[in-house]
């Protein structure tokens, strides 16, 4: 099995390559590519959360507890939280991850269990998509992909280290095939738990407002489109002004074709008796 330094150094090198590719081929912002490289590097040690104790669990949980609150600042701002509330929420997230999540992994996971699997890698990518908020769907998907790649780098290294040369023959350790897998034969409950969490994360990611807006899944948009398709002359309710209520167009100046737009605010149009 590859050691901690091998995992973190390899995922960092791969992360730098992924960041460069995102900047060159996807034309993403440089800061987003640099953050993606960092996420890939950090994801390279995520599978070691099931190590039970020692440096891998301590280092990984500490790093996650420090990074995740910073990634959630944008989401906290979208929740209309002020600076003090964001600071308190960030401290709470740190405590939950540093002590709560680490303790859960220490008590209820086994090394090379379902946390070392492809469904776990997909779950981490989906969780990253939900945590890393933003208005650009492509950037969020890129960062999620960086987490998935870093996680898979760890699993691939574990499988490579499970193969040894003995003379002119290949020798496969008993750990071969326990990292890159879809099913853990020693515990049915761990499989049910892993795939159950994966389904929940898929539903949450698909239901993300930005994702639904990007793929035009928003219910209000579908209702308006269906309404206009069945009755093109019927105006949606939000565009109808009730009697006595101001119209959003009352203060808009009247434009005459060919006329230069005015540089000062004009008064609302009023009927003048002639």
């Amino acid at each position: 099995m590859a050691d901690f330094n091998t995992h973190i150094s390899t995922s960092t090198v791969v992360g730098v390559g992924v960041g460069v590719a995102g900047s060159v081929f996807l034309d993403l912002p440089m800061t987003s590519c640099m953050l993606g490289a960092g996420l890939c590097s950090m994801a390279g040690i995520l599978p070691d959360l099931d190590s039970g104790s020692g440096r891998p669990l301590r280092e990984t949980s500490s790093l996650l507890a420090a990074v995740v609150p910073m990634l959630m600042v944008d989401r906290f701002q979208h929740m209309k939280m002020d600076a003090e509330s964001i600071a308190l929420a960030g401290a709470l997230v740190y405590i939950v991850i540093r002590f709560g999540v680490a303790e859960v992994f220490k008590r209820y996971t086994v090394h090379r269990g379902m946390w070392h699997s492809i469904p776990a890698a997909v779950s981490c990518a989906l969780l990253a998509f939900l945590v890393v908020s933003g208005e650009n769907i492509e950037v969020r998907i890129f960062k999620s992909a960086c987490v998935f790649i870093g996680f898979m780098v760890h699993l691939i290294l574990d499988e490579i280290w499970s193969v040894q040369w003995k003379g002119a023959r290949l020798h496969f350790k008993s750990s071969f095939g326990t990292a890159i897998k879809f099913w853990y034969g020693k515990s049915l409950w761990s499989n049910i738990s892993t795939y159950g969490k994966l389904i929940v994360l898929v539903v949450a990611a698909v239901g993300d407002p930005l994702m639904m807006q990007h793929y035009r899944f928003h219910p209000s948009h579908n209702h308006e489109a269906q309404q206009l398709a069945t009755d093109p002359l019927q105006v949606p309710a939000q565009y109808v002004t009730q009697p006595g209520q101001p119209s959003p167009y009352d203060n808009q100046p009247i434009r005459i074709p060919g006329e230069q737009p005015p540089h000062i605010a004009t008064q609302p149009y009023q009927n003048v008796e002639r």
Side-chain angles (χ1 to χ4, degrees):
M1 181 179 66
D3 58 11
F4 181 85
N5 292 332
T6 302
H7 284 305
I8 190 67
S9 58
T10 305
S11 61
T12 300
V13 172
V14 173
V16 171
V18 173
V20 172
S23 177
V24 174
F25 299 106
L26 302 179
D27 197 25
L28 296 176
M30 181 58 66
T31 53
S32 299
C33 295
M34 294 174 64
L35 180 57
L39 291 174
C40 182
S41 174
M42 183 183 67
I45 57 176
L46 284 181
D48 278 339
L49 281 172
D50 65 2
S51 60
S53 62
R55 182 185 178 189
L57 178 62
R58 183 177 63 254
E59 296 286 349
T60 306
S61 59
S62 299
L63 184 59
L64 280 176
V67 172
V68 171
M70 293 187 290
L71 296 176
M72 296 185 68
V73 169
D74 184 75
R75 184 168 292 277
F76 290 149
Q77 291 176 342
H78 278 78
M79 297 169 64
K80 309 300 182 183
M81 298 174 64
D82 56 23
E84 293 180 347
S85 299
I86 292 176
L88 291 174
L92 180 61
V93 172
Y94 176 88
I95 294 173
V96 169
I97 295 177
R98 180 64 182 85
F99 301 103
V101 174
E103 188 66 22
V104 168
F105 272 90
K106 185 177 180 180
R107 287 174 176 262
Y108 299 104
T109 61
V110 295
H111 191 53
R112 291 293 185 97
M114 275 304 286
W115 187 242
H116 273 71
S117 67
I118 295 177
V122 177
S123 297
C124 286
L126 292 173
L127 189 59
F129 178 83
L130 296 173
V131 169
V132 182
S133 181
E135 300 297 331
N136 192 324
I137 188 68
E138 287 79 12
V139 171
R140 289 180 65 182
I141 293 176
F142 172 76
K143 294 175 183 176
S144 303
C146 289
V147 172
F148 177 79
I149 292 172
F151 201 103
M152 290 302 300
V153 166
H154 183 111
L155 302 185
I156 293 172
L157 286 176
D158 281 347
E159 294 294 356
I160 293 175
W161 256 252
S162 298
V163 181
Q164 289 183 336
W165 284 96
K166 284 191 174 181
R169 298 173 56 185
L170 283 176
H171 173 71
F172 296 93
K173 295 182 179 179
S174 59
S175 60
F176 181 78
T178 60
I180 301 179
K181 60 180 181 293
F182 291 92
W183 192 262
Y184 184 54
K186 296 182 179 181
S187 174
L188 177 62
W189 170 248
S190 64
N191 297 303
I192 296 175
S193 176
T194 300
Y195 280 100
K197 295 181 182 72
L198 178 59
I199 292 173
V200 171
L201 290 172
V202 168
V203 173
V206 173
D208 185 85
L210 187 61
M211 180 71 79
M212 297 187 72
Q213 181 181 1
H214 181 76
Y215 290 103
R216 304 182 183 276
F217 289 153
H218 200 281
S220 61
H221 294 168
N222 295 338
H223 177 72
E224 292 175 12
Q226 183 178 5
Q227 181 179 355
L228 292 176
T230 55
D231 189 358
L233 299 180
Q234 185 176 359
V235 180
Q238 63 267 32
Y239 300 114
V240 178
T241 304
Q242 300 296 328
Q245 295 182 354
S247 170
Y249 303 101
D250 286 345
N251 295 326
Q252 298 295 326
I254 300 176
R255 301 289 179 86
I256 300 176
E259 182 183 8
Q260 295 293 331
H263 296 284
I264 58 175
T266 59
Q267 298 296 327
Y269 177 76
Q270 299 178 353
N271 293 328
V272 180
E273 297 182 359
R274 296 185 179 180

